[in-house]
Amino acid sequence: MRRPALYSSSRPAPAQQETPAAQPAPETAATSPAPSRRSRLSASSPMLLWAAIAVLAALLATSLVLNLKPSQRRITQQDINAAVLKTLETQNLPSEYAKAYENIRPSVVRVVSYVKKSRVKDDKALRGHGAKPKPLGPAQGADGNAADDDEIEAGVGTGVVIVDKGIILTNLHVVSGSDTVKVTFFDGLEATATVTGVQPENDLAVLQAQKIPDDMIAATMRSAGDLLPGDKVLAVGYPFGIGPSASGGIVSGLKRSFRSPEGKQEMSNLIQFDAAANPGNSGGPLVTMDGEVVGIVTAILNPTPARTFLGIGFAVPIENAASAAGLPPF
């Protein structure tokens, strides 16, 4: 510890020589008073300097208190309300749906299944192939001049990246029966993907992309256990190959059951929602207003041959979808 400076008192004056008794001091010397201790303190004395500093500090503190006190003002709730109202009037804030879309967009991929042309000629080979619908416009290789080993698009769907290493969730019916699967990421990168896992009872498939973007962002998943009817949700995907497209709605019901139009499979414990979904949305994420995935869009209810959206869609809860990829439950 640094030792404080120590200051000693003024040195005593040297002892005066004795004056011979025979020679008395002059009269002026006898009448002048002896120099006092106080008179020996010079202007440079440390004691005087410290005293002056203390006085100046006290004066400065008093001045600051006097100057600040009148300017202080308590902020009231009325002031806060006025500031918030001013912000709302002068700035255009994004909607809840827009923020949710912005959060999930980097994790959504376009999934396209391809089959060899030789298989297209055999209707039985593609019977039951669920990768529908075909994207708008002519299919690749459909000009009739391609070799039988060339591949053409069989259908398009959607997927969502759940692990930043390129692990993607989609619907099984999007990729079943395909010879090749390709995914397109948010930045335009196209990569071949392989099916690494399936969960037929929930119409789910897990893909592994062979290439991924450098800045790959995986979606955030959230348990669907606390969802309630009326909660806002957003469906993102590639309806009819157009996208990515977003549609907003609410949770219409929980623990619903659905049987495919072919009657081959019945799924249960589904999330019912009314955000618009059409063929091509299959495999896409159903997200909350925070952009967190609570389900994978898997089916729409339409008793007519059109198979388009009539207001009732279904999604597999993310708990089931995550287990398909071998991820731990929430």
Side-chain angles (χ1 to χ4, degrees):
M1 178 181 294
R2 184 180 178 183
R3 296 179 59 190
L6 299 178
Y7 297 95
S8 62
S9 59
S10 301
R11 293 182 179 180
Q16 297 179 356
Q17 296 181 354
E18 294 184 0
T19 305
Q23 296 180 359
E27 185 178 355
T28 56
T31 57
S32 61
S36 64
R37 183 186 182 92
R38 183 185 302 271
S39 65
R40 291 197 299 268
L41 295 176
S42 65
S44 61
S45 172
M47 295 179 62
L48 290 177
L49 291 176
W50 282 111
I53 291 173
V55 172
L56 290 175
L59 292 175
L60 179 60
T62 303
S63 176
L64 290 175
V65 170
L66 293 177
N67 290 334
L68 291 177
K69 189 174 181 180
S71 63
Q72 290 180 344
R73 179 176 177 273
R74 184 179 179 182
I75 299 177
T76 64
Q77 185 63 44
Q78 186 176 4
D79 296 330
I80 297 174
N81 294 341
V84 173
L85 182 60
K86 182 67 174 178
T87 301
L88 294 176
E89 291 176 347
T90 57
Q91 298 186 16
N92 294 325
L93 301 179
S95 69
E96 291 180 286
Y97 291 114
K99 291 187 291 184
Y101 176 80
E102 188 68 20
N103 287 337
I104 193 62
R105 172 66 188 94
S107 306
V108 179
V109 299
R110 188 173 189 260
V111 181
V112 181
S113 60
Y114 295 84
V115 296
K116 293 181 179 180
K117 188 180 179 184
S118 59
R119 297 183 61 209
V120 176
K121 297 178 180 179
D122 185 1
D123 292 339
K124 293 181 180 180
L126 293 179
R127 188 170 298 170
H129 186 272
K132 299 295 180 181
K134 293 181 180 178
L136 298 181
Q140 296 180 3
D143 56 3
N145 297 323
D148 286 348
D149 287 338
D150 287 348
E151 293 180 334
I152 62 174
E153 291 184 7
V156 63
T158 308
V160 58
V161 179
I162 59 171
V163 179
D164 58 9
K165 294 180 180 180
I167 298 178
I168 300 167
L169 271 177
T170 188
N171 279 150
L172 179 58
H173 74 260
V174 172
V175 296
S176 69
S178 61
D179 294 308
T180 303
V181 176
K182 291 184 179 181
V183 296
T184 305
F185 293 95
F186 73 101
D187 63 350
L189 175 66
E190 184 179 76
T192 302
T194 56
V195 179
T196 59
V198 296
Q199 195 179 76
E201 64 272 21
N202 288 311
D203 190 23
L204 294 170
V206 182
L207 306 178
Q208 174 64 66
Q210 303 304 310
K211 294 187 299 183
I212 60 174
D214 293 334
D215 54 348
M216 184 72 260
I217 300 176
T220 300
M221 295 180 287
R222 200 204 81 178
S223 172
D226 60 350
L227 279 183
L228 294 173
D231 284 344
K232 293 181 180 179
V233 287
L234 183 78
V236 182
Y238 289 84
F240 299 105
I242 303 173
S245 300
S247 59
I250 63 169
V251 174
S252 304
L254 301 168
K255 299 185 182 301
R256 300 298 198 222
S257 297
F258 172 78
R259 181 179 292 275
S260 63
E262 295 81 7
K264 296 180 180 180
Q265 180 182 2
E266 182 174 356
M267 293 182 290
S268 58
N269 192 35
L270 300 175
I271 302 169
Q272 179 187 339
F273 62 91
D274 69 353
N278 283 288
N281 276 107
S282 295
L286 186 71
V287 302
T288 66
M289 294 299 95
D290 293 325
E292 299 173 336
V293 182
V294 290
I296 300 296
V297 177
T298 191
I300 56 177
L301 180 62
N302 188 338
T304 72
R307 302 280 180 88
T308 53
F309 187 66
L310 291 179
I312 298 179
F314 298 102
V316 178
I318 196 60
E319 285 86 347
N320 297 355
S323 65
L327 299 180
F330 294 95

